[in-house]
Amino acid sequence: QAKAFGIEGQIVNELIARTAIDNHARKLNLNLPDQAVVAAVQADPAFKGFDGKFSQDQLNALLRQAGYTQESYLAARRNEELREQLTNALIDNITPPEIMVSMRRTFEDETRVVRYFALDPNTAVKLDAPTGNDLKATYDKNKSAFMTPEYRQVEILLLTSDDARKQIPVTEEDLKAAYETDKGQLSVPEQRHVLQLAFKNAADAQKARAEIAAGKPFEEVVKAQGAKPSDVDLGMLTKAKLLDKKVADAAFALAKGQVSDVIEGRFATVLLFVKDIKPGRTPSFEEAKPQLRDRITRSRANEQIRKLNNLVDDNRLAGKSLKEIGELLNITYYAPAAVDAQGKTPDGKPAFTSPDLAKIMRTAFAAEIGVENEVLELSDGGYAWVNLISVTPQKQKPFEAVRDEVRKLWEENARKAALRKLAEELVERIKKGEAFDAVAKSIGAEVKTTPAFKRGDSLPNLPPSAVSRAFALPAGTPATAESADKATRIVFEVSEVKEPEKPTDKELAGTRQQLRQQLQNGVMSEYVSALRQRQGVTINQATIDRTTGATAR
């Protein structure tokens, strides 16, 4: 789905653009010192606290949410700042000409009012009963709509990661050895509920610390600083989750209910309060057994897959069928007697389940009988073998078997044609001088009027084609279009053209900014395109397809 929506291409192009600009920055010997990067972070509005100043708490929360460590974020931020400085030099002074701003406002703000009436599909036209020739002609003209799909009989041998892991022996000694080795990873680390109050400077922090030492509760100090409890509450977290090492060391050295000394953190000066401590624990061997077994089989899965893959190849060379190999090696085997290109049987149900169903069916429907296919790589690291046994070609359904379907299609087409013809006749009557309302009344239709609308507006009873056409027609000129629900047709005319009102300074500024952004985007597109051409870009689509699972090789 992502590929169909073009997301894959967007991501690849974005990665190429970033890399091309980074390369250009390096060629120009551009760099930023650490102090400049830290200053940029501290000036970032995303990291402002309740007082409008930089907040270490806000930074920590957002980095945790995004999955960054402090070091990785600063490295990424350095590259981002360099890219911005380089590209801003190109686009900062771009300004759209005022004539362009004026034309854009006119285009966007002009409104029109439309009067219209809809033809009643049940009464506006009357269809004669179709003759045998009518239905047969419809059938012959639309034969492709009355076909059974192509079905293929295939056999599929799947060597999945699950198949391999089930066959991996895990002894008690293996489990005990893994327990001793992985005990640290299995252990649940100590967690602490930490409150962190940031200050503008060390003097303010020292003053607050003195008040606490004199008996003032930490919560009252928080309130006195103008912060809410939620502003200082970091929650229950492990030491690794505290991004500033100096703060982390201090927080995990405090006793429960204890307030820290003033800490000069990397980004801010803070006081810490440990509200609660949840000790770490190591699960017992028996508790850890299922997790250990899972870890061991996962770590050995690739080797087991390799062994089984070699055994499959050996047995295929020995002349064994895929079914025999599946039974011999205890791996998954499917043999659907009839399956379509979507992997469904004639009753509409999936022939088998697999995350790689689409890939397997592409191979099955590209295969030839008696020709050995390439081995498919599965998304879990396993393999698949596909043999084509027979093909049942698409088959034309007999006319008599689909007579009711043909009749329905004939009626649908005939009604649409009759409604179009009638609508065009009504339009001609209006063009020749008959009043719009009189023509509507002659067929028992009610004339309705839309509110004033702009080019980009969506109206419930006016189809997009009519909205677009309305801005191309002079006032009083009738036209017809298929209705919004596609069940009938409407006849309409533009009854009023409203020139846009004089825009306010704010509206002009908004339009000016939109055009400026579009012009900047155009310049950036040309810049990146030139960098790509100069630096040389190749895209290994095969590797991308393997990564996304689009193809096997």
Side-chain angles (χ1 to χ4, degrees):
Q1 289 176 335
K3 192 178 183 72
F5 290 140
I7 295 175
E8 176 191 292
Q10 293 172 20
I11 292 173
V12 171
N13 285 329
E14 183 176 340
L15 291 171
I16 291 172
R18 288 183 180 182
T19 305
I21 296 172
D22 290 345
N23 289 343
H24 193 202
R26 281 193 292 272
K27 186 174 182 180
L28 296 174
N29 293 320
L30 300 182
N31 203 351
L32 285 177
D34 290 345
Q35 289 180 339
V37 179
V38 171
V41 172
Q42 290 175 328
D44 194 323
F47 305 135
K48 300 295 184 185
F50 61 91
D51 58 355
K53 304 293 184 181
F54 171 76
S55 169
Q56 177 72 46
D57 300 336
Q58 178 74 354
L59 173 64
N60 290 345
L62 291 177
L63 292 190
R64 283 197 302 272
Q65 183 178 349
Y68 274 106
T69 64
Q70 185 168 289
E71 289 71 20
S72 65
Y73 174 70
L74 290 177
R77 186 61 184 254
R78 184 190 306 277
N79 288 336
E80 181 183 334
E81 292 293 326
L82 284 171
R83 282 195 297 269
E84 286 188 4
Q85 290 192 22
L86 182 54
T87 56
N88 286 347
L90 295 173
I91 65 176
D92 268 358
N93 292 323
I94 292 177
T95 303
E98 288 305 307
I99 186 64
M100 182 184 289
V101 177
S102 175
M103 292 173 66
R104 176 68 169 265
R105 293 298 309 180
T106 300
F107 182 85
E108 289 184 343
D109 290 348
E110 178 185 328
T111 60
R112 301 208 168 194
V113 177
V114 163
R115 302 176 73 236
Y116 69 96
F117 60 87
L119 310 185
D120 186 333
N122 298 314
T123 61
V125 296
K126 184 178 180 181
L127 301 178
D128 295 327
T131 66
N133 290 337
D134 290 332
L135 295 183
K136 190 64 169 62
T138 300
Y139 172 79
D140 290 339
K141 190 176 180 180
N142 299 276
K143 281 189 173 181
S144 62
F146 307 106
M147 301 282 290
T148 62
E150 177 183 317
Y151 286 105
R152 295 198 165 200
Q153 181 182 1
V154 296
E155 57 173 355
I156 301 158
L157 183 66
L158 296 180
L159 170 51
T160 67
S161 179
D162 285 343
D163 287 335
R165 291 175 63 196
K166 289 175 184 176
Q167 300 185 34
I168 296 173
V170 180
T171 66
E172 192 78 1
E173 288 70 24
D174 291 333
L175 294 170
K176 288 179 179 178
Y179 180 73
E180 293 302 322
T181 301
D182 298 342
K183 190 180 294 186
Q185 298 178 34
L186 295 169
S187 298
V188 177
E190 177 184 327
Q191 297 183 68
R192 294 189 169 211
H193 190 170
V194 180
L195 307 184
Q196 176 179 275
L197 179 60
F199 295 86
K200 298 177 183 178
N201 52 61
D204 289 346
Q206 291 288 1
K207 182 180 178 181
R209 183 67 182 85
E211 292 174 348
I212 294 172
K216 191 172 185 178
F218 186 83
E219 290 78 4
E220 290 187 19
V221 174
V222 171
K223 187 175 181 181
Q225 292 295 318
K228 301 191 295 290
S230 59
D231 294 329
V232 302
D233 194 340
L234 300 184
M236 185 71 75
L237 38 70
T238 63
K239 187 175 183 179
K241 290 292 185 180
L242 285 168
L243 302 176
D244 190 321
K245 186 178 185 302
K246 196 171 182 180
V247 171
D249 290 341
F252 276 75
L254 294 172
K256 179 179 178 181
Q258 188 177 2
V259 178
S260 71
D261 291 327
V262 175
I263 302 169
E264 294 280 357
R266 186 169 187 179
F267 289 100
T269 302
V270 301
L271 287 177
L272 304 174
F273 175 73
V274 174
K275 191 173 182 179
D276 194 13
I277 297 175
K278 187 176 180 181
R281 65 177 297 272
T282 300
S284 68
F285 174 64
E286 290 300 324
E287 290 175 321
K289 265 187 175 182
Q291 188 177 353
L292 292 169
R293 188 179 300 277
D294 183 73
R295 287 190 180 192
I296 291 171
T297 56
R298 284 187 185 279
S299 68
R300 299 177 182 177
N302 287 340
E303 178 61 21
Q304 184 67 14
I305 288 173
R306 187 188 65 79
K307 291 179 180 178
L308 290 170
N309 183 28
N310 289 338
L311 289 173
V312 172
D313 288 342
D314 291 344
N315 281 281
R316 292 185 76 195
L317 289 172
K320 289 188 173 64
S321 68
L322 294 186
K323 181 179 181 181
E324 290 172 330
I325 296 171
E327 292 173 347
L328 178 66
L329 301 182
N330 196 25
I331 57 178
T332 305
Y333 172 80
Y334 296 111
V339 60
D340 66 15
Q342 283 69 49
K344 294 182 179 180
T345 57
D347 60 3
K349 296 179 181 179
F352 60 94
T353 57
S354 169
D356 300 283
L357 174 64
K359 181 192 297 186
I360 293 168
M361 294 320 302
R362 282 196 296 271
T363 298
F365 273 74
E368 297 181 21
I369 297 174
V371 177
E372 186 173 302
N373 298 292
E374 289 188 358
V375 180
L376 298 182
E377 296 178 6
L378 301 180
S379 55
D380 64 358
Y383 299 93
W385 294 262
V386 180
N387 279 350
L388 177 61
I389 307 301
S390 65
V391 177
T392 302
Q394 281 187 314
K395 185 179 179 182
Q396 188 69 54
K397 296 178 182 178
F399 172 67
E400 291 302 328
V402 293
R403 177 181 284 271
D404 290 342
E405 297 174 47
V406 174
R407 183 186 184 93
K408 183 178 179 181
L409 179 61
W410 177 87
E411 289 179 351
E412 180 181 330
N413 292 341
R415 191 174 303 280
K416 282 185 177 182
L419 287 168
R420 175 186 283 276
K421 181 180 178 182
L422 174 59
E424 290 172 347
E425 290 171 352
L426 297 176
V427 167
E428 286 303 313
R429 286 169 56 184
I430 297 169
K431 286 181 177 180
K432 290 178 180 179
E434 285 191 55
F436 190 87
D437 291 80
V439 171
K441 187 176 180 180
S442 71
I443 63 167
E446 177 187 358
V447 176
K448 298 180 181 180
T449 303
T450 69
F453 60 89
K454 299 179 181 180
R455 279 181 168 84
D457 289 345
S458 177
L459 283 74
N461 296 316
L462 205 65
S465 60
V467 172
S468 177
R469 187 85 185 278
F471 282 88
L473 292 172
T477 303
T480 180
E482 190 174 46
S483 62
D485 61 5
K486 301 190 181 301
T488 184
R489 295 193 72 82
I490 64 166
V491 174
F492 66 95
E493 69 174 6
V494 178
S495 61
E496 189 177 355
V497 177
K498 294 185 178 181
E499 294 296 326
E501 297 180 0
K502 183 178 179 180
T504 64
D505 290 343
K506 184 177 180 181
E507 290 171 334
L508 280 173
T511 300
R512 196 174 289 113
Q513 179 57 31
Q514 288 177 1
L515 286 170
R516 182 171 184 266
Q517 183 66 55
Q518 290 172 357
L519 292 172
Q520 288 176 332
N521 290 343
V523 170
M524 282 301 302
S525 177
E526 291 295 325
Y527 169 57
V528 171
S529 178
L531 289 180
R532 289 180 59 152
Q533 185 175 2
R534 181 186 302 171
Q535 297 174 15
V537 177
T538 58
I539 298 175
N540 190 331
Q541 190 62 44
T543 297
I544 294 174
D545 288 343
R546 284 199 301 271
T547 303
T548 61
T551 60
R553 294 187 179 274

